[in-house]
Amino acid sequence: MTDSTTTADLDVRLEKHRVELTGYCYRMLGSSFEAEDAVQDTMVRAWRSYDKFEGRSSLRSWLYRIATNVCLDMLTAGNKRARPMDLTDSTPLAQAALSPRPDHTWLEPMPDARVLPTVEDPAEAAVAKESVRLAFMAALQQLPPKQRAVLILREVLAWKATEVAELLGTTVASVNSALQRARATLAERDGHGGEAVVSDPLDEEQQKLLDRYVAAFEGYDMTALTALLHEDAIMTMPPFDLWLTGVDDITGFMTTLGASCANSRLLPVQANGLPGFAHYKPDEEAGGYTPWAVQVLEISDGRITGFHCFLDTERWFPLFGLPLHLDAVDDTLDDALEAESDQVEEGV
């Protein structure tokens, strides 16, 4: 294409699909950064081959076909992203050891704004949020790549079996068989932390629970925190494979190995269709606060059931549009975060 107007128009048309394609690739790959790489590759391939696009399907369907092929190519190595509880048994606090595993081991968090396009139908929005929650994402990673694609396209995006068959170059019978096998695999999983029930937007009781959590965590009040945690709550800390179960071990860890997190600050974020927080702990050398984790919380029946801390802050905080340092008193922080959030929503 040499006409600048045509080129600009195509760029706009492609960009309209970036968020939903990122959500699709994220569900396929389980990695925030690999998903964005896959979408960028999809856009480049679409731009370069647009002259060959015959229009027999919609531009959206064509882009999904390209994105599916990109993801399947990336998944040929067979790596399955996971959570700590998918790899090891729960560790008693007395035996706790912080053993890291490589980045490619872990299911990664993702800001809602990068993967959840704005939709008018509340039911459609709810399905989209549920389908990026950590428990569902972890279950998806257990499926063979093509079953994964079929389940996402049919169950999450509500494509018809005929449309999926055309996209994958197979038969409707094959699609239905793959969907049945995928459903059976998901039904067999015990779903650690899979019972999260979160309203959209948060209802009054859930918001009060989060407010109490912030007060308890920032005050490092273990008695108050105990009252908020489910008795079987789970705490994870990728890239470490350690995970803890139960109030006593979680609060015990926080007052021993995690004692340096006392007097921290929490700033709200939206991640994986769930409430979360950017966790800053005191910076003993420079003053103020330094990034420590992106927390993603799972809630059910008025209690916190999952407490997942992603510690690779040099990667996660820029992804979420978060500053890499907080002053002790920072009156401009809210404005800065709002500006960063706008950039994330715009795909900057």
Side-chain angles (χ1 to χ4, degrees):
M1 288 174 292
T2 57
D3 185 274
S4 59
T5 302
T6 303
T7 299
D9 178 64
L10 178 59
D11 287 342
V12 170
R13 294 176 65 199
L14 294 178
E15 283 299 320
K16 283 174 55 178
H17 300 283
R18 182 176 290 274
V19 172
E20 65 171 308
L21 287 172
T22 304
Y24 176 62
C25 293
Y26 176 59
R27 295 178 185 98
M28 285 290 292
L29 301 171
S31 164
S32 317
F33 297 103
E34 287 183 1
E36 296 198 330
D37 288 345
V39 172
Q40 191 58 34
D41 191 1
T42 297
M43 295 297 189
V44 170
R45 293 188 189 191
W47 201 91
R48 288 176 175 171
S49 60
Y50 185 72
D51 288 340
K52 300 176 183 178
F53 175 52
E54 298 176 354
R56 288 181 295 181
S57 62
S58 67
L59 177 65
R60 179 173 182 258
S61 297
W62 184 59
L63 288 172
Y64 269 94
R65 181 180 294 111
I66 298 172
T68 300
N69 290 332
V70 170
C71 289
L72 292 177
D73 287 345
M74 293 175 72
L75 289 166
T76 54
N79 181 50
K80 295 180 180 179
R81 299 270 175 168
R83 301 171 300 169
M85 61 278 262
D86 300 319
L87 302 177
T88 66
D89 292 330
S90 177
T91 305
L93 178 60
Q95 301 172 20
L98 298 178
S99 303
R101 296 201 186 193
D103 289 341
H104 62 73
T105 305
W106 303 115
L107 178 65
E108 297 178 349
M110 183 64 119
D112 284 0
R114 290 184 180 267
V115 292
L116 298 177
T118 301
V119 295
E120 295 183 1
D121 184 350
E124 184 180 345
V127 169
K129 278 200 167 186
E130 290 169 5
S131 69
V132 293
R133 290 181 182 164
L134 295 172
F136 184 78
M137 287 287 299
L140 283 178
Q141 304 310 301
Q142 302 305 309
L143 300 175
K146 286 193 176 180
Q147 284 186 30
R148 202 179 305 176
V150 168
L151 186 130
I152 296 167
L153 291 166
R154 292 282 286 120
E155 302 275 274
V156 178
L157 301 177
W159 284 40
K160 298 177 181 177
T162 51
E163 295 171 325
V164 178
E166 181 181 357
L167 182 147
L168 294 175
T170 187
T171 65
V172 170
S174 178
V175 167
N176 289 336
S177 176
L179 180 60
Q180 184 177 10
R181 294 196 303 274
R183 285 172 172 168
T185 298
L186 265 59
E188 291 172 359
R189 289 180 56 85
D190 58 20
H192 283 300
E195 301 301 320
V197 180
V198 182
S199 302
D200 182 24
L202 296 176
D203 63 33
E204 184 178 356
E205 290 304 312
Q206 290 169 344
Q207 188 57 59
K208 286 180 178 178
L209 175 64
L210 293 181
D211 292 343
R212 291 167 63 198
Y213 170 76
V214 171
F217 194 98
E218 292 188 340
Y220 233 55
D221 183 341
M222 294 301 114
T223 300
L225 188 62
T226 295
L228 306 179
L229 295 175
H230 188 276
E231 61 181 7
D232 296 323
I234 289 172
M235 179 180 183
T236 68
M237 293 164 283
F240 301 116
D241 57 16
L242 170 74
W243 63 284
L244 302 168
T245 306
V247 174
D248 290 343
D249 277 0
I250 291 174
T251 56
F253 178 89
M254 292 176 66
T255 55
T256 55
L257 294 176
S260 64
C261 292
N263 302 311
S264 291
R265 285 190 63 186
L266 298 181
L267 303 178
V269 298
Q270 293 180 311
N272 292 86
L274 293 164
F277 295 94
H279 173 192
Y280 292 83
K281 72 175 186 177
D283 189 333
E284 301 297 341
E285 295 182 0
Y289 300 87
T290 189
W292 184 246
V294 169
Q295 301 179 0
V296 182
L297 304 188
E298 292 168 324
I299 298 172
S300 182
D301 296 328
R303 292 289 185 271
I304 294 169
T305 58
F307 174 44
H308 306 290
C309 305
F310 295 89
L311 302 182
D312 191 353
T313 54
E314 290 187 0
R315 302 174 76 212
W316 305 133
F317 275 52
L319 181 72
F320 280 81
L322 294 161
L324 293 175
H325 181 81
L326 294 185
D327 293 333
V329 178
D330 191 346
D331 295 331
T332 65
L333 176 61
D334 290 340
D335 292 340
L337 286 177
E338 184 177 350
E340 291 282 6
S341 176
D342 291 342
Q343 288 186 339
V344 170
E345 292 178 2
E346 294 168 6
V348 176

